[in-house]
Amino acid sequence: MTDNRFYKNAANYWANVPATIDGVLGGYGHISAVDIDGSKLFLNNILSSDNPPSTNLALDCGAGIGRVSKNLLMPYFQKVDLVEQDEKFINTAKNYIGANNAKLGSLYHVGLQDFVPLKEYDVIWCQWVLGYLNDYDLIAFLKRCSEALAVNGVIVIKENTTSSDNLEYDEDDSSVTRPIKLMEQVFDKANLRVMKSIKQNNLPDEIYPVHMFALALNY
Ligand SMILES: C[S@@+](CC[C@H](N)C(=O)[O-])C[C@H]1O[C@@H](n2cnc3c(N)ncnc32)[C@H](O)[C@@H]1O
């Protein structure tokens, strides 16, 4: 399959998914609270480390309807920007977060493979979206993000991982799920080092294990 097809198929898939919490979580809307609680613990840990990031501006990548922005990032950060390639999700995010919410920053309607950050971010949060990028675009995206980090800035990645050493392709939504080993190789190629990582607890047994990684520039 060409990469164009890979990206188009994913965009078509999401164009037909309802703009709801259950929609963006693939029918697992009921795990949202557990997911957010696990993310809060991880973010608290990052923000209480030595030389923590500031809490001025965060970026939510593959933001969907703004579930992570509203429930996780906005309580911590002065402003949150969102990147999302599906137009109906972006429009719903404005309602879900509240277009007049002072914490709502810029909304970028673009795929991460083409996104170039224009500001400096304290935290760049990427959740359940990086499987829609091929390895080449993922490395390039992470490099661009690393160049857009403020002092002590951190990139957080929260993604499904395979339990095997193999990458798995899902033709339903045109995505890949990577083994942790491959994720680590990708981070290395993007010149990022893993500061902290943890597995999300209390998820249903039948879904992929979910891991969080806090990444900083490897000087
Ligand atoms: C599983 S949902 C997760 C949404 C959100 N991160 C959350 O946790 O609630 C995946 C999201 O990634 C978006 N997406 C898929 N491919 C993308 C791409 N290439 N660039 C940006 N967003 C993409 C979809 O439109 C969808 O909103």
Side-chain angles (χ1 to χ4, degrees):
M1 178 187 329
T2 65
D3 286 340
N4 258 351
R5 212 64 351 269
F6 175 67
Y7 288 119
K8 250 194 192 141
N9 288 350
N12 288 341
Y13 172 87
W14 286 105
N16 290 301
V17 170
T20 60
I21 297 287
D22 212 38
V24 292
L25 293 184
Y28 280 84
H30 56 284
I31 68 166
S32 186
V34 166
D35 161 62
I36 295 290
D37 285 350
S39 298
K40 279 185 184 159
L41 287 178
F42 196 59
L43 189 53
N44 282 334
N45 197 285
I46 293 169
L47 293 175
S48 57
S49 58
D50 292 344
N51 306 316
S54 299
T55 52
N56 296 318
L57 183 60
L59 176 68
D60 181 2
C61 297
I65 63 168
R67 186 187 68 89
V68 171
S69 288
K70 178 172 176 171
N71 300 299
L72 174 71
L73 299 173
M74 286 183 173
Y76 287 88
F77 294 87
Q78 305 282 327
K79 278 251 186 263
V80 179
D81 288 353
L82 287 76
V83 197
E84 167 56 51
Q85 74 171 11
D86 186 86
E87 191 172 16
K88 110 189 138 307
F89 286 168
I90 294 235
N91 290 332
T92 302
K94 287 182 205 155
N95 286 332
Y96 180 64
I97 292 168
N100 293 328
N101 187 326
K103 294 209 166 182
L104 181 59
S106 307
L107 296 159
Y108 300 103
H109 177 206
V110 62
L112 297 184
Q113 63 278 17
D114 298 317
F115 175 68
V116 180
L118 299 172
K119 306 182 193 171
E120 283 199 344
Y121 293 98
D122 298 305
V123 168
I124 299 181
W125 193 279
C126 308
Q127 178 160 358
W128 283 323
V129 66
L130 300 184
Y132 297 103
L133 300 189
N134 65 32
D135 287 358
Y136 175 86
D137 285 339
L138 176 54
I139 293 164
F141 164 73
L142 289 175
K143 279 189 183 161
R144 293 194 296 277
C145 286
S146 69
E147 286 158 11
L149 287 175
V151 177
N152 296 335
V154 172
I155 298 172
V156 178
I157 289 178
K158 184 167 189 177
E159 289 293 339
N160 293 347
T161 55
T162 59
S163 320
S164 68
D165 278 350
N166 302 320
L167 177 137
E168 293 175 18
Y169 172 65
D170 184 339
E171 77 179 303
D172 276 352
D173 68 346
S174 189
S175 69
V176 295
T177 301
R178 297 181 168 90
I180 290 185
K181 253 192 202 161
L182 178 55
M183 304 275 276
E184 287 169 348
Q185 285 168 11
V186 163
F187 302 155
D188 207 45
K189 287 192 177 144
N191 200 29
L192 291 164
R193 84 190 140 83
V194 179
M195 299 162 55
K196 297 173 192 296
S197 66
I198 195 168
K199 186 179 171 202
Q200 170 70 48
N201 283 328
N202 301 323
L203 292 179
D205 289 340
E206 73 272 16
I207 67 172
Y208 280 116
V210 174
H211 284 261
M212 292 175 257
F213 304 89
L215 308 172
L217 252 184
N218 209 358
Y219 288 106

